[in-house]
Every structure is written in structure tokens, then in C-alpha cells.
Amino acid sequence: MRATAVRRTALAACAVSLTLLATACGGSSDTEAEGGKADQGGATSGSSSAPTTSAPTTSAKALTAAELETVSLKQGDVAGHKITKTGPDDEIPEGGVTVDKAACLPVAHAMYGVAQKGSAATAKRKVLSEPKKADTKKPAGDLTDGDVEDVLRAAFDVTSTFIALHAYEGTAGPDTFVALRKAAADCAGGFTATVGGEPQKVVSVTEEKATGGDESAAWTLTAAGDGGDQFPISLVALRKEGTVATFYSVNVAAVTGRSVKLTGPTEVVAAQAKKLG
């Protein structure tokens, strides 16, 4: 995996997983985090459909930066997840993302949280699901090779989600949402996005089912790694009046070659949709 933002997200999640690895060896837990196991509001695979919108009949007034911060997720809003604000290293300017197919740029921008024309304010969050504990009560010294693999699989089964909320004036929010859906449909056969001079190949874009906000959409992006290995990326978008939220999720276990199913951060999306009203 080469794209800088994707790699940074996965490595950050990986570091947290390793920090909590000792805890994962401590036996089974009655209460386990569910990050990375739920879908986008009951997502099922399907072919992309023609973009539609439930755009408001009157122009929306954009939320201010302070208002966006108020409606953004905070630690404690989603059980079993760590929520933090993004920092300067997470910021990618509009010109910092290029694509080999111009029609796919809105999808690449959504992946990396880049605002579209008409954005008046932005708020971003990083959300990390807590790793599950392996189902073993053995002391560390008694673990077999199989036990160790189970512990590692559980520790790395962590989903990292990057959320970007952009507030738009007038009809720019609905227009942005329609443009994203159209781009995803047009780019079902894949594209390559380059960030910081590092390319990330997306092999396919498959639309999924999603609910929330005034309108919502979700996709599974199949990405290719350095050695030709493939891993899933979840991309969810929802609009509430003039605010468009995007959720870009990767699972550390999937990126590191372990077999897991990534179908989207349902609890995270639902919590954010609720705060947007």
C-alpha cells in the first residue's frame, strides 16, 4: 500500500493495536468492541445506480466552524471507539490529490477529506475501534503458535475511520453529493489516486446500501497493495441540509494481509448522523 494518507491511517491504528496487544492476551471479554464488523446501515453489495438527490427546495445556510465542531463526534459518543481531532499532518490541500481519470476526482477527494467548491467550514475526526481480546485464558508462556495467531488476528482487527464534515452554502452541499455519486458510478472500473507523489490504485468501486441524513450513499473500494494484494476500503457519505460528511475506513488486519471482512463503520456513521440532527 503506497498512498501516504492510507498508510498513515493504517500505521496509526497498528500502533494502538500493538499497545493494547498485552491486554488482548489476557483472556476473553464479555463486552467486545464491534468496530469493523457492522455494515453501512445494512450494506449489501450491488451495482452502482444513477445518482439522485433529495435536495432542499430552498438554499441551505452553511454551519459555522464553531457549529461544525459542536455537531462533530467527541470521545464517548461511540462505545468501543477512540475519537480524536485531526492534526496538521492529516490535512491534504485540494491540489494535493490527483487522479488518472478526471471523472474520479470527487471520489478521491472524499477518500482524503478534501472539501469541494462552496465549502464554508470544515471539521475532521479520527475514530479507532478498540481491538477485541483473543478467546484464550492461557498465560502468555503457554500460548501455542495457533493461539499467538489468534491473539494477533484479534489485536489487528481494528478499523480506523477518517471523518470529514464540510459545511456548504446554498445548494453546494446537494450538488457536491450528486457529483460524488456520479463520480463513483462512472469510476466503478477503478482509478489511481496520487497523494504526495505516492499512487494508490483502486481496482473497483461497488455501491452499497446506506441510510442516514437527508440522503446517504456508501461504497466498497477494492484497493491494490504493493505486491498486487488487494484489500477493502469503506467509503460512506451522508448529507444533512448543507453539511456533507464522509467516512473513510480501513481495517489494519486487512491491510496487513489477514483475512477480515470490512463492511463499514455503522455505529460511527449512525452516531454522526444523530448529532447532525
Side-chain angles (χ1 to χ4, degrees):
M1 179 178 56
R2 293 177 180 171
T4 302
V6 179
R7 184 174 60 208
R8 184 187 302 131
T9 299
L11 289 177
C14 182
V16 174
S17 293
L18 290 174
T19 300
L20 298 175
L21 183 57
T23 303
C25 295
S28 59
S29 171
D30 292 332
T31 304
E32 296 182 335
E34 295 180 3
K37 293 299 183 183
D39 58 21
Q40 301 107 329
T44 55
S45 296
S47 57
S48 297
S49 57
T52 58
T53 182
S54 54
T57 55
T58 58
S59 296
K61 178 174 176 54
L63 297 181
T64 65
E67 289 170 332
L68 269 189
E69 285 295 327
T70 298
V71 299
S72 293
L73 292 180
K74 296 176 179 60
Q75 179 61 30
D77 284 343
V78 187
H81 294 73
K82 180 179 180 179
I83 302 171
T84 58
K85 290 185 177 183
T86 59
D89 289 345
D90 300 301
E91 292 300 319
I92 298 176
E94 182 178 356
V97 181
T98 59
V99 290
D100 61 341
K101 299 177 183 177
C104 305
L105 189 58
V107 179
H109 279 168
M111 289 170 63
Y112 301 112
V114 178
Q116 303 304 291
K117 185 177 180 180
S119 174
T122 294
K124 298 178 181 179
R125 295 291 188 270
K126 291 185 289 188
V127 183
L128 190 67
S129 68
E130 296 175 358
K132 291 186 176 182
K133 291 182 179 180
D135 189 17
T136 178
K137 296 181 180 179
K138 297 178 182 178
D142 294 338
L143 296 177
T144 65
D145 288 346
D147 292 333
V148 171
E149 178 56 33
D150 288 342
V151 169
L152 288 173
R153 184 181 295 108
F156 282 95
D157 189 5
V158 172
T159 296
S160 180
T161 301
F162 181 76
I163 305 174
L165 273 64
H166 300 297
Y168 293 93
E169 290 283 2
T171 61
D175 291 345
T176 292
F177 196 90
V178 170
L180 174 57
R181 289 204 64 198
K182 182 178 187 306
D186 291 344
C187 299
F191 62 94
T192 297
T194 300
V195 181
E198 299 187 43
Q200 173 62 65
K201 182 176 178 56
V202 174
V203 177
S204 64
V205 179
T206 304
E207 188 172 4
E208 309 287 355
K209 215 185 224 183
T211 58
D214 293 331
E215 55 184 341
S216 58
W219 304 268
T220 293
L221 282 59
T222 300
D226 288 341
D229 54 311
Q230 298 184 356
F231 58 92
I233 294 171
S234 169
L235 180 62
V236 181
L238 67 84
R239 179 185 65 78
K240 179 62 179 179
E241 297 181 344
T243 301
V244 177
T246 55
F247 308 77
Y248 173 78
S249 303
V250 295
N251 184 281
V252 177
V255 173
T256 56
R258 290 176 170 82
S259 178
V260 296
K261 183 180 181 182
L262 173 67
T263 47
T266 302
E267 292 172 318
V268 175
V269 174
Q272 183 58 80
K274 182 178 180 180
K275 294 198 75 169
L276 284 171

